PDB file of all heavy atoms in Angstrom:
ATOM      1  N   ARG A 140     178.429  -5.909  73.996  1.00  0.00           N
ATOM      2  CA  ARG A 140     179.316  -6.052  72.889  1.00  0.00           C
ATOM      3  C   ARG A 140     179.865  -4.671  72.477  1.00  0.00           C
ATOM      4  O   ARG A 140     179.228  -3.654  72.523  1.00  0.00           O
ATOM      5  CB  ARG A 140     178.569  -6.693  71.719  1.00  0.00           C
ATOM      6  CG  ARG A 140     177.284  -6.019  71.418  1.00  0.00           C
ATOM      7  CD  ARG A 140     176.434  -6.909  70.506  1.00  0.00           C
ATOM      8  NE  ARG A 140     176.989  -6.989  69.178  1.00  0.00           N
ATOM      9  CZ  ARG A 140     176.416  -7.443  68.097  1.00  0.00           C
ATOM     10  NH1 ARG A 140     175.092  -7.863  68.228  1.00  0.00           N
ATOM     11  NH2 ARG A 140     176.984  -7.471  66.958  1.00  0.00           N
ATOM     12  N   ASP A 142     180.986  -3.733  69.493  1.00  0.00           N
ATOM     13  CA  ASP A 142     180.919  -3.330  68.041  1.00  0.00           C
ATOM     14  C   ASP A 142     179.694  -2.510  67.733  1.00  0.00           C
ATOM     15  O   ASP A 142     179.369  -2.344  66.613  1.00  0.00           O
ATOM     16  CB  ASP A 142     181.002  -4.545  67.179  1.00  0.00           C
ATOM     17  CG  ASP A 142     179.898  -5.548  67.369  1.00  0.00           C
ATOM     18  OD1 ASP A 142     179.299  -5.479  68.511  1.00  0.00           O
ATOM     19  OD2 ASP A 142     179.567  -6.317  66.535  1.00  0.00           O
ATOM     20  N   ARG A 175     160.860  -8.810  81.532  1.00  0.00           N
ATOM     21  CA  ARG A 175     161.670  -9.900  80.854  1.00  0.00           C
ATOM     22  C   ARG A 175     161.874  -9.649  79.400  1.00  0.00           C
ATOM     23  O   ARG A 175     162.923  -9.810  78.827  1.00  0.00           O
ATOM     24  CB  ARG A 175     160.952 -11.165  81.067  1.00  0.00           C
ATOM     25  CG  ARG A 175     161.583 -12.380  80.410  1.00  0.00           C
ATOM     26  CD  ARG A 175     160.779 -13.644  80.520  1.00  0.00           C
ATOM     27  NE  ARG A 175     160.941 -14.486  79.308  1.00  0.00           N
ATOM     28  CZ  ARG A 175     160.078 -14.559  78.308  1.00  0.00           C
ATOM     29  NH1 ARG A 175     158.897 -13.798  78.434  1.00  0.00           N
ATOM     30  NH2 ARG A 175     160.298 -15.297  77.264  1.00  0.00           N
ATOM     31  N   GLU A 179     165.523  -9.254  77.856  1.00  0.00           N
ATOM     32  CA  GLU A 179     165.992 -10.235  76.849  1.00  0.00           C
ATOM     33  C   GLU A 179     166.252  -9.619  75.497  1.00  0.00           C
ATOM     34  O   GLU A 179     167.222  -9.979  74.848  1.00  0.00           O
ATOM     35  CB  GLU A 179     164.936 -11.382  76.800  1.00  0.00           C
ATOM     36  CG  GLU A 179     164.865 -12.247  78.040  1.00  0.00           C
ATOM     37  CD  GLU A 179     166.185 -13.014  78.221  1.00  0.00           C
ATOM     38  OE1 GLU A 179     166.702 -13.644  77.268  1.00  0.00           O
ATOM     39  OE2 GLU A 179     166.725 -12.947  79.310  1.00  0.00           O
ATOM     40  N   LEU A 182     169.344  -7.387  75.586  1.00  0.00           N
ATOM     41  CA  LEU A 182     170.660  -8.048  75.792  1.00  0.00           C
ATOM     42  C   LEU A 182     170.940  -9.075  74.677  1.00  0.00           C
ATOM     43  O   LEU A 182     172.083  -9.225  74.201  1.00  0.00           O
ATOM     44  CB  LEU A 182     170.729  -8.746  77.153  1.00  0.00           C
ATOM     45  CG  LEU A 182     170.990  -7.790  78.320  1.00  0.00           C
ATOM     46  CD1 LEU A 182     170.958  -8.537  79.590  1.00  0.00           C
ATOM     47  CD2 LEU A 182     172.226  -7.038  78.146  1.00  0.00           C
ATOM     48  N   CYS A 185     166.511 -11.196  69.187  1.00  0.00           N
ATOM     49  CA  CYS A 185     165.551 -12.262  68.880  1.00  0.00           C
ATOM     50  C   CYS A 185     166.153 -13.454  68.237  1.00  0.00           C
ATOM     51  O   CYS A 185     165.454 -14.480  68.014  1.00  0.00           O
ATOM     52  CB  CYS A 185     164.443 -11.734  67.912  1.00  0.00           C
ATOM     53  SG  CYS A 185     163.416 -10.400  68.581  1.00  0.00           S
ATOM     54  N   GLY A 186     167.347 -13.423  67.807  1.00  0.00           N
ATOM     55  CA  GLY A 186     168.012 -14.499  67.129  1.00  0.00           C
ATOM     56  C   GLY A 186     168.212 -15.704  68.069  1.00  0.00           C
ATOM     57  O   GLY A 186     168.508 -15.507  69.241  1.00  0.00           O
TER      58      GLY A 186
ATOM     59  N   ARG B 140     164.572 -17.101  68.405  1.00  0.00           N
ATOM     60  CA  ARG B 140     164.301 -17.826  69.688  1.00  0.00           C
ATOM     61  C   ARG B 140     162.792 -17.933  69.888  1.00  0.00           C
ATOM     62  O   ARG B 140     162.026 -17.009  69.536  1.00  0.00           O
ATOM     63  CB  ARG B 140     164.962 -17.080  70.828  1.00  0.00           C
ATOM     64  CG  ARG B 140     164.651 -15.631  70.846  1.00  0.00           C
ATOM     65  CD  ARG B 140     165.580 -14.831  71.780  1.00  0.00           C
ATOM     66  NE  ARG B 140     165.317 -15.237  73.155  1.00  0.00           N
ATOM     67  CZ  ARG B 140     165.800 -14.547  74.202  1.00  0.00           C
ATOM     68  NH1 ARG B 140     166.605 -13.459  74.019  1.00  0.00           N
ATOM     69  NH2 ARG B 140     165.528 -14.879  75.422  1.00  0.00           N
ATOM     70  N   ASP B 142     161.196 -18.247  72.774  1.00  0.00           N
ATOM     71  CA  ASP B 142     160.698 -17.812  74.097  1.00  0.00           C
ATOM     72  C   ASP B 142     160.174 -16.407  74.143  1.00  0.00           C
ATOM     73  O   ASP B 142     159.904 -15.827  75.160  1.00  0.00           O
ATOM     74  CB  ASP B 142     161.674 -18.091  75.175  1.00  0.00           C
ATOM     75  CG  ASP B 142     162.985 -17.253  75.014  1.00  0.00           C
ATOM     76  OD1 ASP B 142     163.175 -16.943  73.800  1.00  0.00           O
ATOM     77  OD2 ASP B 142     163.636 -16.977  75.965  1.00  0.00           O
ATOM     78  N   ARG B 175     173.298  -2.534  59.332  1.00  0.00           N
ATOM     79  CA  ARG B 175     173.978  -3.476  60.233  1.00  0.00           C
ATOM     80  C   ARG B 175     173.583  -3.302  61.617  1.00  0.00           C
ATOM     81  O   ARG B 175     173.281  -4.297  62.353  1.00  0.00           O
ATOM     82  CB  ARG B 175     175.518  -3.151  60.109  1.00  0.00           C
ATOM     83  CG  ARG B 175     176.376  -3.930  61.048  1.00  0.00           C
ATOM     84  CD  ARG B 175     177.839  -3.533  61.104  1.00  0.00           C
ATOM     85  NE  ARG B 175     178.368  -3.653  62.478  1.00  0.00           N
ATOM     86  CZ  ARG B 175     178.513  -2.700  63.323  1.00  0.00           C
ATOM     87  NH1 ARG B 175     178.179  -1.457  62.947  1.00  0.00           N
ATOM     88  NH2 ARG B 175     179.021  -2.945  64.517  1.00  0.00           N
ATOM     89  N   GLU B 179     171.901  -6.393  63.605  1.00  0.00           N
ATOM     90  CA  GLU B 179     172.667  -6.913  64.743  1.00  0.00           C
ATOM     91  C   GLU B 179     171.804  -6.762  66.030  1.00  0.00           C
ATOM     92  O   GLU B 179     171.703  -7.683  66.838  1.00  0.00           O
ATOM     93  CB  GLU B 179     173.990  -6.213  64.886  1.00  0.00           C
ATOM     94  CG  GLU B 179     174.993  -6.608  63.843  1.00  0.00           C
ATOM     95  CD  GLU B 179     175.350  -8.085  63.996  1.00  0.00           C
ATOM     96  OE1 GLU B 179     175.650  -8.557  65.131  1.00  0.00           O
ATOM     97  OE2 GLU B 179     175.327  -8.814  62.946  1.00  0.00           O
ATOM     98  N   PHE B 181     168.606  -6.377  66.310  1.00  0.00           N
ATOM     99  CA  PHE B 181     167.410  -7.192  66.259  1.00  0.00           C
ATOM    100  C   PHE B 181     167.731  -8.716  66.593  1.00  0.00           C
ATOM    101  O   PHE B 181     167.056  -9.360  67.391  1.00  0.00           O
ATOM    102  CB  PHE B 181     166.745  -7.115  64.928  1.00  0.00           C
ATOM    103  CG  PHE B 181     165.551  -7.996  64.728  1.00  0.00           C
ATOM    104  CD1 PHE B 181     164.336  -7.728  65.413  1.00  0.00           C
ATOM    105  CD2 PHE B 181     165.624  -9.077  63.921  1.00  0.00           C
ATOM    106  CE1 PHE B 181     163.244  -8.561  65.241  1.00  0.00           C
ATOM    107  CE2 PHE B 181     164.510  -9.927  63.749  1.00  0.00           C
ATOM    108  CZ  PHE B 181     163.314  -9.628  64.420  1.00  0.00           C
ATOM    109  N   LEU B 182     168.780  -9.185  65.995  1.00  0.00           N
ATOM    110  CA  LEU B 182     169.063 -10.632  66.069  1.00  0.00           C
ATOM    111  C   LEU B 182     169.844 -10.939  67.342  1.00  0.00           C
ATOM    112  O   LEU B 182     169.533 -11.910  67.965  1.00  0.00           O
ATOM    113  CB  LEU B 182     169.888 -11.072  64.889  1.00  0.00           C
ATOM    114  CG  LEU B 182     169.043 -11.239  63.541  1.00  0.00           C
ATOM    115  CD1 LEU B 182     170.003 -11.674  62.425  1.00  0.00           C
ATOM    116  CD2 LEU B 182     167.969 -12.239  63.790  1.00  0.00           C
ATOM    117  N   GLY B 186     173.991  -7.499  74.354  1.00  0.00           N
ATOM    118  CA  GLY B 186     174.783  -8.235  75.251  1.00  0.00           C
ATOM    119  C   GLY B 186     175.968  -8.922  74.635  1.00  0.00           C
ATOM    120  O   GLY B 186     175.893  -9.316  73.473  1.00  0.00           O
TER     121      GLY B 186
END
Side-chain angles (χ1 to χ4, degrees):
Chain A
R140 50 194 290 196
D142 60 337
R175 174 186 147 260
E179 288 297 310
L182 284 178
C185 295
Chain B
R140 52 194 290 193
D142 60 338
R175 174 187 147 260
E179 287 297 310
F181 176 72
L182 285 178

